[in-house]
Every structure is written in C-alpha cells, then in structure tokens.
Amino acid sequence: MHPAFSVIFFTVTSGLGYGLMTLMVIAYLTGFGGVTEQSALIAGVAALVFITLGLLSSTLHLANPKNAIRAFSRFRTSWLSREGVFAVLFYPFALMFLFCIWKISTGEHEMGMGGIVAGIIAAILAMVTIFSTGMIYACLKTIRQWNTALTPANYMTLGLMLGALFLAAIQATAETLTLAMALIAFAGVMKLMYYAWIAEPAGSTINSATGFTNDKVRILEPGHTADTFLNHEFGHTVLPSKSFMLRSLVFILGFIIPFILVMMGKENMILIYAAVISAYAGILVERWLFFAEARHVVNLYHGAQRT
Amino acid sequence: MKLGLVIDLDVCVGCHACAVACKQWNTSGTTGALSDYEPYGKQPSGVWFNRVRNFEVGDYPNNKTINFPMSCMHCEDAACVTVCPTGASYKREEDGVVLVDQDKCMGCNYCSWACPYGARELDKVSGTMKKCTLCIDRIYDQELAPEDRQPSCVITCPAHARHFGDFEDPNSNVSTLVRERGGRALMPELGYNPTNKYLPPRVARPVPTDDVKMDLVSKVKNWVNKAISK
C-alpha cells in the first residue's frame, strides 16, 4: 500500500493524544502517580492539540474534502464513519472534564459527579476512537496483513504507550515512569507478535484470483504501459533487507531506547524528553511500515503469486 | 434482477476493444469524464473502468495464453459499499448494480482498498471515485433499439466473449452459459459473491509446435523449396 504521510502522521499523533487523555483521566481520578491539577491540565490541552492536528491532517488525504461532512452519515456500516463520529463526540466530554479541573485548580470548586462522569466518558471515547481507527484497516479482507485483531490491538497499545511516555514527561514520578516502562514492554511484545503473524503466507493467490486452481499461472502483461491508480495505490513493496532494517529501527527507536532512557531518567528530565521524541520517531517508522508492507490482493492481477 | 456479465476466457482474444469502447462511452456518461493525465506525454495514464491483463496458464506444451478483462463484478456482498463513510457508494435494490454518487464522494480511497478486483479508480481531476456503471445509461435507454440496450463492452466485443444478462433468471443467456460451461467467480474465498462470472477455456489437445512429423505433401513442398533456393 502507498504510505501516505498525512495518514501516518494522523494515526500516530492522534493515537498519542487519545492515549494521553485516557491515562491522564484515569491517573487524575484515581490519584495514580500524584498527578496534580496543573499537570492534568497540561496533559489534557496537549492531548487535544495532538488529536486536533491529527484529525486536520487526516482530511489532507481526501481528494474531494468539500464532501467530508458526509463522512458521519454511515455510522451503521463503516468504521471510517464511526471513527469520525467518536472523534467528534469525544470533544465536549474532554473539554467538560478539563473545565472541571481548571475550576478545581483555581480553588472555586471540587470535583463533582458530573466531572467524573464526563472524564470517564472522554477516556472511553478516546479508546473507542483508536479502536475504530484500527478497525478501519482490520476489517479489510483484501489485505491479509491488516485483517487481524492484532491491528486494533497494536493501535491501542501504541497510543497508550506514547501517552504514558508523554504523561511521564509532564509529571515524572516513580509510578508514571513505571507505567511508561510497562506499556513500552507490552507494546513491544504486541508488535513482535504482529510481525510474527504476518510472516506466515496466507490468503488469496494468483490461482484463486484468476480461477485457474490446478495449474501454474504467470503474468504475461499487466495491460498498462504507464503508471495507473492501482499501481500507485497498491503497488508499493518493501525489499526484505530494507524491511528488516526498518523493523530493527522500530524496535530500537520505538521501544528499546525509550525504555532505557526512562529507566535511567528518574532525576534527569532531559532523558525523558528524549525518550518521548525517540518513541514518537520509532512509531512513525512503525506506521510507515504498517502501510508499506501491506499487500493488497489486486497485486495478484499484476503478477504477484501471493500476498 | 441481478444484472452482470459473463466473460468467456475461451474466446477472448485480448484486443482491448471492450476497454476502449467502455472508455469512449463512459467518458460522456453518467460518471464521466474519465480523465486522462498527460495523454500525449511520455507516461500517458488515466481512469479506466475495464482493464485487460494477460496470463500464461500451465506449463509447456499444455500451456495457454489467457486474456483476462476485468471490470466491476457488482458483488452481492459489496464491501466497497459497506465501508463507504459518506454513502456515495451504493448498490441498487432493483438490479444489483453498484454505483458511486459523484455528488457525495469525498475521495478518501477507502472503497478502492476494500475492492479485491481493482475495479475502482480515483479520478484526480474531479477528486471522486469512479467505476463501471454496467452502462446504466444504455441498458434502460428506451430510445435505443432493444439489441443496443447492453453495456458498450458487450456490444463491441468482436469475439463475442462478453455476455450481459440477468443472473436471477435461471433461463437467461448468462445463467445458461454459467451452468453449461462451469462459470466461476474470482477469489470466492473473500466472500463478496461477485455477480460476474468467467467461463474457463474448453479442454483441447495441445497443438504441437516442434518435433512435428511431416506428412508427404509437406515433405514434397520442403524438397521443392530447397531445390529452388539452390
């Protein structure tokens, strides 16, 4: 698949935002990690900025954005529509919760039932939105590398991992640092499972694509002389050597370096900031690979023997 | 009704006439124009509803060239319609034709990801998704003679490799062909139940091309040819 930068930036950045918001709400309401009102406000505003930047970026890949408003209309069948609806529903609850915290920080109010409920709904909607983003890809039977429950699982764990790192960078306590390390380890294992899963050949072949299931089938001509929409959108391939190098980069930048930096960074905030940047860069590479390594079955009509 | 096409892989000669006729009709049809990018440049490209590929099936001497035209299969369980967030993609209740409402499409490409057959192509000029309409603007046109109320590709095909009809009627031309010739769907394992069917080539003895034993007439001809060339 063609790795469109707008979609890569969107999924990673809004994933970070939703993960951060969810963890901040849980941490603040349960008193985990001693998250203060001020830290919660910073985390909440930062999360909203990331989410908004991501959503704006996602509209950049539309060829006809004037009809984008219609994307909320097919909630019953389309995961893309569901993602849009949940993403918009999230805002009022998140803003209400942040407003409550702001009121508390000025000493005017205490956290009431309404604020708690708004926070919990915002946290749930954040997770549901990341889940929907994952399901956009996971529901496609045409791309076997995506058509697995590991896809939404990866989206959610990676969002939470980046969120935990960012929260630790805002308020570095023993608890938030431990949470970040635990989520880095968990997300790393999930990503390993994903790579192991997609390594197995499976699904449609050139034989089932052409209906000739008893004989060897080879392409003679793909029927076009220059680039087509189909080549551009689906023809992207990654060489095995390059894939190995980039996957190593994902694990080094995305998981190993941040884990070590957080482990050493109790007294030194610079190390935590570096961990956030390294993890973010690593997950950008991860998302690029997620798209670039996905092999659509239409490639079978352009000569691929299997996907 | 369940309208669709049957494509006879036994007789398709791979001339691309269906693809060209499709482009000619539909560029001024309901979802036209079918934009071209640099049509006279070094890398001419553009939107096509129908593309013809060529495959080799089997190993020599039992091999065969298969010309393989592909357009929208008008699937019964069309994933492209399910995933569309705007409702631009829809499947008609009355005849099962899958269409894109050009006024609603936002050009997100998602339906083209869901389609296993590469039937959908984004038009960079209009920014909307375009696909085979089964010549919806021909097949119901009362101004046309009844025999002309068929998709452009079907009428054009010089080899009669393409047939149009109603798959719901067990006695229609397409249903009969599928029944008698063992018509099959592409990638049935994905479960989209494509309406269009492909007829496999008839079984035929391979024609020898080398080590051929010559009959008497050929031997005499060969001898005469050699004698003259000396």
Side-chain angles (χ1 to χ4, degrees), chain B residues 157-179:
Chain B
C157 180
H160 295 289
R162 303 177 74 92
H163 306 270
F164 165 72
D166 177 13
F167 285 82
E168 216 162 63
D169 172 8
N171 297 316
S172 67
N173 59 335
V174 285
S175 298
T176 312
L177 277 170
V178 168
R179 196 165 54 239

Side-chain angles (χ1 to χ4, degrees), chain B residues 72-83:
Chain B
C72 174
M73 307 283 160
H74 300 281
C75 298
E76 283 184 70
D77 298 302
C80 53
V81 174
T82 315
V83 303

Side-chain angles (χ1 to χ4, degrees), chain B:
Chain B
M1 277 202 298
K2 199 169 102 186
L3 297 181
L5 302 173
V6 161
I7 288 151
D8 189 344
L9 296 178
D10 193 48
V11 295
C12 176
V13 293
C15 67
H16 292 248
C18 52
V20 176
C22 165
K23 179 108 172 164
Q24 185 272 332
W25 176 264
N26 284 295
T27 200
S28 47
T30 48
T31 53
L34 275 61
S35 305
D36 282 323
Y37 323 125
E38 297 181 51
Y40 304 103
K42 278 188 178 156
Q43 298 280 304
S45 180
V47 182
W48 294 75
F49 291 171
N50 194 351
R51 289 185 184 271
V52 184
R53 283 116 191 178
N54 310 89
F55 294 95
E56 180 189 18
V57 174
D59 294 306
Y60 179 82
N62 296 302
N63 58 343
K64 192 168 168 51
T65 301
I66 302 291
N67 306 300
F68 214 92
M70 289 182 69
S71 53
C72 174
M73 307 283 160
H74 300 281
C75 298
E76 283 184 70
D77 298 302
C80 53
V81 174
T82 315
V83 303
C84 176
T86 63
S89 282
Y90 64 104
K91 186 171 173 68
R92 284 160 52 113
E93 283 282 321
E94 60 270 37
D95 53 18
V97 177
V98 177
L99 294 173
V100 181
D101 187 335
Q102 299 291 307
D103 294 333
K104 290 184 182 171
C105 178
M106 67 174 185
C108 68
N109 281 355
Y110 195 24
C111 57
S112 72
W113 295 5
C115 174
Y117 308 110
R120 290 170 166 253
E121 301 194 9
L122 187 91
D123 188 326
K124 282 194 240 172
V125 177
S126 67
T128 53
M129 195 54 74
K130 299 197 169 168
K131 66 175 289 299
C132 160
T133 65
L134 209 64
C135 284
I136 203 80
D137 39 16
R138 275 193 81 97
I139 58 178
Y140 292 111
D141 190 348
Q142 301 295 317
E143 301 283 311
L144 294 175
E147 65 271 22
D148 283 336
R149 290 178 210 158
Q150 297 194 71
S152 252
C153 55
V154 174
I155 295 177
T156 297
C157 180
H160 295 289
R162 303 177 74 92
H163 306 270
F164 165 72
D166 177 13
F167 285 82
E168 216 162 63
D169 172 8
N171 297 316
S172 67
N173 59 335
V174 285
S175 298
T176 312
L177 277 170
V178 168
R179 196 165 54 239
E180 289 177 354
R181 299 270 311 277
R184 56 205 181 188
L186 307 183
M187 283 193 266
E189 67 274 17
L190 294 181
Y192 297 152
N193 289 324
T195 300
N196 288 10
K197 298 290 187 297
Y198 286 77
L199 307 180
R202 294 178 179 86
V203 179
R205 195 178 296 150
V207 180
T209 52
D210 62 353
D211 196 23
V212 185
K213 279 222 172 77
M214 276 195 270
D215 56 11
L216 189 63
V217 179
S218 307
K219 276 181 184 163
V220 171
K221 271 187 188 168
N222 247 16
W223 181 81
V224 172
N225 280 340
K226 271 183 190 163
I228 292 171
S229 63
K230 271 180 191 166

Side-chain angles (χ1 to χ4, degrees), chain A residues 78 136 142 204 208 218 227 296, chain B residues 45 59 83 110 113 189-190:
Chain A
S78 171
I136 289 174
T142 46
S204 303
S208 69
R218 313 167 195 77
D227 206 15
H296 193 280
Chain B
S45 180
D59 294 306
V83 303
Y110 195 24
W113 295 5
E189 67 274 17
L190 294 181

